Amino acid sequence: MTENLAVQASTITRLSPAKINLFLHITDKRVDGYHDLQTVFRLLDWGDYLHFLIKFDAALPASESRLDIDELCQQLLILAGAESITTCIRDNLIFKAARALLFAAVQLNRLPKQLPPVHITLDKHLPMGAGLGGGSSNAATTLLALNEIWQLDFTGDELIKIGATVGADVPIFIFGQDAIAMGIGEELTAIVLPDQHYLVLTPNAHVNTAKLFAHPKLQRNIAPLSVATIQNQYNDYVQNLTAPYQNVFTPVVTSLAPAVDEALQYLHRLEPQALGTARMTGSGSAVFLPLDASVVSDTALVARWISEAPCAGYVVGNLPQY
């Protein structure tokens, strides 16, 4: 979980980290229309930043308010930096996260007498639709920060349940550490993995998620693996990717998005020197290549790889685990 926030300060800033999927399997389709997944999430030391300006001098008597949740949320939040993502604030995952938090607090009679308004500024670095979890991470970072700013005292497990109502990838960012994920992504088991650097490429491409899940090439019946098996076989998916581990979305996305296929093929050509297996994260469009430590130290080589890449590229590390 995140460290305690110094809520007496007027402004706090938090990294909203990216994630990658070291592999991604679909094991079944659920009766509710969702799919059961198995994956290992790895959090990165790279992402967006959220700045929370707390307006203590304008606190609202929330517990006495007759406003509905949407109106209360709009009274309490001003969001800047997300205009290019959603035209209406109510459609933004940051707003949806705050609304879900307030709704849960009202249901449990946990609202304090007064709530200070918060001006949130999003400093966006992660491309949308890249499979890096940017919007979900923004939502989770908002839940964690507002829970402490407003002193709602929800536990981590409670926040994970709230986050799951906002989006399937939100829980991992509340969990805050590398994890094996099952269900729709909300069943999380911590896993300790070796430190790693990655060359991440972000081609300018986006494939509709509903279209991906409906595609006839998508494999939806990968045999489920036990948590113990995934924990014990991390050498089969951390640096290299060997059977049965795979990302089932890769053949679908690369067939629909030539820019993703081009970026992935570029990384495949670097594999012999990088000593890792290139792959796609999530349902795309970002692709990444694990880098051997000896490669990371050769800054000239890595800089050349980035400059010759067919799209924007970044060298990033895993988020340190505490």
Side-chain angles (χ1 to χ4, degrees), residues 39-280:
T39 190
V40 167
F41 285 119
R42 178 128 241 214
L43 300 184
L44 303 181
D45 61 2
W46 168 59
D48 302 327
Y49 286 89
L50 286 173
H51 308 280
F52 300 86
L53 174 63
I54 309 162
K55 306 289 286 186
F56 290 109
D57 58 347
L60 296 175
S63 61
E64 300 172 8
S65 174
R66 295 183 181 180
L67 297 175
D68 69 21
I69 295 297
D70 282 337
E71 290 175 320
L72 178 60
C73 204
Q74 288 190 298
Q75 291 265 356
L76 290 171
L77 286 188
I78 293 178
L79 176 61
E83 295 80 7
S84 63
I85 302 173
T86 54
T87 55
C88 176
I89 187 176
R90 294 190 184 199
D91 295 329
N92 191 277
L93 286 178
I94 290 172
F95 182 89
K96 289 181 178 181
R99 186 194 184 285
L101 186 69
L102 287 171
F103 180 79
V106 169
Q107 293 295 105
L108 296 173
N109 196 28
R110 203 178 282 193
L111 279 183
K113 290 184 177 180
Q114 290 192 321
L115 292 175
V118 181
H119 293 197
I120 304 175
T121 302
L122 171 62
D123 182 9
K124 194 71 181 167
H125 296 272
L126 299 175
M128 294 182 292
L132 295 167
S136 296
S137 180
N138 296 162
T141 303
T142 299
L143 286 173
L144 289 163
L146 293 181
N147 181 53
E148 296 200 34
I149 291 169
W150 289 337
Q151 300 181 31
L152 302 177
D153 297 326
F154 285 109
T155 66
D157 287 342
E158 289 173 325
L159 289 175
I160 284 173
K161 291 179 181 177
I162 296 169
T165 69
V166 180
D169 280 350
V170 176
I172 180 58
F173 295 104
I174 298 171
F175 196 65
Q177 57 187 307
D178 300 335
I180 300 165
M182 298 186 181
I184 62 170
E186 85 289 9
E187 300 173 20
L188 300 166
T189 303
I191 186 170
V192 178
L193 300 172
D195 289 337
Q196 182 77 61
H197 281 83
Y198 305 93
L199 173 57
V200 180
L201 301 185
T202 57
N204 185 19
H206 178 67
V207 181
N208 180 271
T209 303
K211 187 175 181 180
L212 291 179
F213 275 101
H215 200 281
K217 282 188 178 180
L218 183 63
Q219 189 173 359
R220 304 173 179 83
N221 59 349
I222 300 289
L225 301 168
S226 69
V227 168
T229 296
I230 297 172
Q231 288 174 324
N232 294 332
Q233 292 182 346
Y234 69 86
N235 284 330
D236 290 338
Y237 57 80
V238 171
Q239 182 82 8
N240 295 291
L241 191 65
T242 59
Y245 297 100
Q246 60 179 296
N247 184 330
V248 295
F249 288 99
T250 301
V252 180
V253 174
T254 53
S255 70
L256 296 173
V260 177
D261 186 50
E262 181 185 18
L264 188 57
Q265 293 306 320
Y266 173 77
L267 292 184
H268 282 318
R269 294 195 291 273
L270 303 180
E271 288 176 352
Q273 290 175 276
L275 303 178
T277 304
R279 66 202 81 161
M280 200 174 71

